[in-house]
Amino acid sequence: EKCQVDHKAEKALGILQRMQERYDSGECAAKPNIRTYNAVFQACAATPSQSEQDKKHHAIMVVLDLLRDMKERNMDVDKYTYPAAMKACANLYNHNKKNNSNNQFYV
């Protein structure tokens, strides 16, 4: 099960990207909505603390890139969006902080 959890962020991002590709190709029903983005944020937050640094860094970058993407698309957020994104970054960053007290993280 650890392996399945370890790849949650990648799988969720892949689904979101496939949905966007299908929507861009004319399939209106495949348009990603705020729930889709929130699910990716939650998947990133579930990246295990014992994951390699590159997986945690990738998950943080996914969150930040998606927040930027949502802003560019003028998407309306809901009450779950920012807490889910912040939880993901906090979970992933806190594990890095234990190893280096000089780390700084700005969103």
Side-chain angles (χ1 to χ4, degrees):
E1 177 156 325
K2 178 189 174 272
C3 185
Q4 288 178 342
V5 172
D6 221 16
H7 298 287
K8 253 185 169 179
E10 292 172 21
K11 288 180 181 179
L13 179 61
I15 291 169
L16 174 90
Q17 290 171 334
R18 284 191 302 279
M19 289 175 70
Q20 189 62 50
E21 288 168 7
R22 291 175 74 177
Y23 176 72
D24 291 343
S25 296
E27 191 175 330
C28 293
K31 182 179 182 180
N33 60 26
I34 195 62
R35 288 182 181 179
T36 314
Y37 283 83
N38 291 348
V40 177
F41 295 146
Q42 291 168 351
C44 289
T47 300
S49 61
Q50 63 272 22
S51 293
E52 299 91 35
Q53 284 300 118
D54 62 328
K55 285 186 182 178
K56 290 189 272 188
H57 176 75
H58 176 69
I60 288 174
M61 296 311 297
V62 165
V63 171
L64 298 177
D65 289 344
L66 289 181
L67 286 171
R68 194 174 305 112
D69 182 56
M70 291 169 59
K71 183 177 181 180
E72 289 172 3
R73 294 177 188 277
N74 293 317
M75 292 186 70
D76 291 327
V77 299
D78 63 17
K79 66 181 182 179
Y80 304 104
T81 305
Y82 292 123
M86 290 170 51
K87 180 180 177 183
C89 291
N91 287 353
L92 296 162
Y93 177 71
N94 283 340
H95 299 296
N96 293 341
K97 193 172 183 179
K98 291 177 186 175
N99 298 329
N100 183 354
S101 60
N102 295 326
N103 281 345
Q104 294 183 356
F105 186 73
Y106 300 98
V107 177

